Amino acid sequence: MRLFDRYLLRELLTPLAYCLGGFVVFWVSFSLFARLDDLQEAKLHLLDVIELCLAWTPECLVTVLPVALLLALLYSLTHHSRYNEITALRAAGVSLWRLCLSYFLVGFAASVALFVLNEIAVPHGTGWAERILNRYVSRLHDTSNKFHGFTNVRAHRIWIFNAYHPQTTEMSGPIVVNWTLPDGSIRKLYADRAVYSKPGWTFFKVKEFEQAGETAPIVPFLQTNELAMPDLDETPAGIENEIRMSEYQDLHSRNLNVPLSVLWEYLRRHPNLPTAEAASWWTKFEGRLAAPWTCLVVVLIAIPFGVAPGRRNLFVGVAGSVFICFTFFVLQQVGLALGIGGYLPAWLAAWLPNLLFAALGLLLTARVR
């Protein structure tokens, strides 16, 4: 790393640290005031509130990191241009792309950090915050006693059960399994307990009923203390994935943040989802892939706006960052809405803002004199 690289990096990281710190403090403070009633209802103490702020921090960082990086870049680049430092470096034979190498490295590092935060820290932080809020007073939406259920679309089977224990691959009841046979008849199985052992499930204290059709009467079919069902091919991994999806949907009722690994496994196990539901989940999957690269796109779009020569006011960078952020996030939300609605392919809806702004940044940077 050359001397000017270290200088540019230092001049960028200082305002970036200030921006991140300021945004995090503002965001957490606003969240505390907005949820003051919930905190009082939860009867949290001072140490609990501090712990809750730490749990909220990863989700805050995911939101503010691209904005803080853009603001810091425009501020530092505008400062360098104001004192003709960029012009001097280019006159010394340093190309614009080489000059900005440090910024691209910071953007790439921020993208990696954003991906790790989004996939690991945010889901754990959300669960941590939920446990803190339920530490002294169990709220109404506590799901500890909730029945779990999922549908195997390919096999036309519906499962409902009280709890699943992954260590023992045991399911506790009451358990209900409902499926449709090839001849159109319906089977309903009720059991107190079930254990998985390849190639299928074994149920205990079983009562099975048969129904010739949806409107036909339900008649007893079988009753036994133990029943092996090798034809039921739902695996423990699949059931754990369904439970995790359900938990994430409960915790993120407004802003669903399902890790890519969980979302990919869910989509792989449900290849025949209804068109509208498939479009929604695939758009969210592609959106989570595209989101971290926003930091690298920020670098591309900030360079031509920041290196333009002239003695400009430093607050030009602030105003520019506000306008760019507003435009980008509006386009991002519009693209995701079009993808979820099925009007655009999922990959295009999610990647459209990044592609447009990256192309615009490359074009404007190539035209900088």
Side-chain angles (χ1 to χ4, degrees):
M1 183 177 288
R2 300 173 64 176
L3 180 62
F4 74 84
D5 288 320
R6 292 195 294 271
Y7 170 70
L8 294 177
L9 194 59
R10 184 179 69 249
E11 292 297 309
L12 170 63
L13 293 181
T14 301
L16 178 59
Y18 281 119
C19 289
L20 273 178
F23 280 135
V24 168
V25 170
F26 174 79
W27 184 285
V28 172
S29 301
F30 177 80
S31 299
L32 286 175
F33 282 108
R35 302 191 62 177
L36 194 58
D37 292 339
D38 291 339
L39 301 183
Q40 292 175 341
E41 182 183 347
K43 303 184 184 302
L44 299 183
H45 305 146
L46 177 60
L47 292 179
D48 298 317
V49 174
I50 295 173
E51 188 179 354
L52 184 63
C53 292
L54 293 176
W56 282 343
T57 300
E59 188 171 2
C60 167
L61 286 173
V62 167
T63 304
V64 304
L65 181 55
V67 181
L69 179 60
L70 178 61
L71 181 59
L73 275 168
L74 289 175
Y75 179 88
S76 60
L77 284 170
T78 302
H79 177 82
H80 294 316
S81 295
R82 185 185 183 193
Y83 293 100
N84 297 315
E85 293 174 343
I86 301 294
T87 303
L89 285 170
R90 297 184 67 189
V94 180
S95 69
L96 182 58
W97 296 108
R98 174 61 185 85
L99 186 150
C100 296
L101 177 61
S102 300
Y103 300 143
F104 285 116
L105 291 177
V106 171
F108 180 76
S111 294
V112 173
L114 196 63
F115 180 83
V116 173
L117 284 171
N118 222 7
E119 293 302 305
I120 300 175
V122 171
H124 286 292
T126 303
W128 184 16
E130 194 71 13
R131 289 191 296 273
I132 294 171
L133 291 171
N134 287 284
R135 181 169 289 170
Y136 305 111
V137 178
S138 180
R139 296 182 296 169
L140 293 177
H141 63 273
D142 184 12
T143 59
S144 57
N145 295 318
K146 177 182 176 181
F147 276 80
H148 299 285
F150 67 94
T151 302
N152 185 333
V153 179
R154 288 177 294 180
H156 306 286
R157 275 194 294 271
I158 300 173
W159 289 67
I160 301 173
F161 50 92
N162 187 27
Y164 175 73
H165 311 283
Q167 296 83 1
T168 59
T169 65
E170 181 178 345
M171 191 181 295
S172 59
I175 302 167
V176 181
V177 184
N178 187 343
W179 71 98
T180 303
L181 298 176
D183 61 1
S185 61
I186 300 171
R187 289 284 178 86
K188 299 178 184 290
L189 184 148
Y190 298 83
D192 288 350
R193 187 170 65 92
V195 177
Y196 180 80
S197 179
K198 289 184 179 182
W201 290 86
T202 300
F203 297 87
F204 300 90
K205 294 186 179 179
V206 179
K207 291 182 180 179
E208 194 171 351
F209 298 86
E210 187 177 34
Q211 191 175 11
E214 293 184 358
T215 59
I218 300 175
V219 297
F221 179 77
L222 176 68
Q223 182 172 347
T224 181
N225 288 329
E226 183 176 335
L227 178 64
M229 298 285 290
D231 294 337
L232 303 187
D233 58 358
E234 287 82 357
T235 63
I239 291 175
E240 290 177 42
N241 179 258
E242 296 286 348
I243 294 174
R244 292 180 69 187
M245 281 291 294
S246 176
E247 290 174 348
Y248 283 120
Q249 291 180 45
D250 289 335
L251 293 176
H252 300 267
S253 56
R254 294 183 181 179
N255 184 22
L256 187 63
N257 288 311
V258 184
L260 282 171
S261 58
V262 177
L263 193 50
W264 169 253
E265 186 66 18
Y266 179 80
L267 290 169
R268 188 182 69 83
R269 294 180 181 279
H270 296 80
N272 300 317
L273 288 172
T275 303
E277 188 177 352
S280 175
W281 285 121
W282 276 113
T283 301
K284 290 174 181 177
F285 179 82
E286 293 289 345
R288 291 187 69 82
L289 280 177
W293 299 106
T294 303
C295 294
L296 205 54
V297 174
V298 157
V299 178
L300 285 172
I301 202 66
I303 289 172
F305 282 92
V307 301
R311 296 181 62 85
R312 296 176 295 163
N313 191 291
L314 290 175
F315 289 100
V316 171
V318 178
S321 67
V322 172
F323 174 76
I324 294 170
C325 285
F326 178 79
T327 306
F328 180 87
F329 287 115
V330 167
L331 183 59
Q332 185 183 56
Q333 295 304 313
V334 170
L336 291 175
L338 291 174
I340 291 173
Y343 299 102
L344 284 178
W347 70 268
L348 180 60
W351 290 90
L352 182 62
N354 287 355
L355 294 175
L356 286 180
F357 273 75
L360 178 63
L362 290 171
L363 178 62
L364 293 177
T365 303
R367 297 180 61 181
V368 170
R369 294 288 182 262

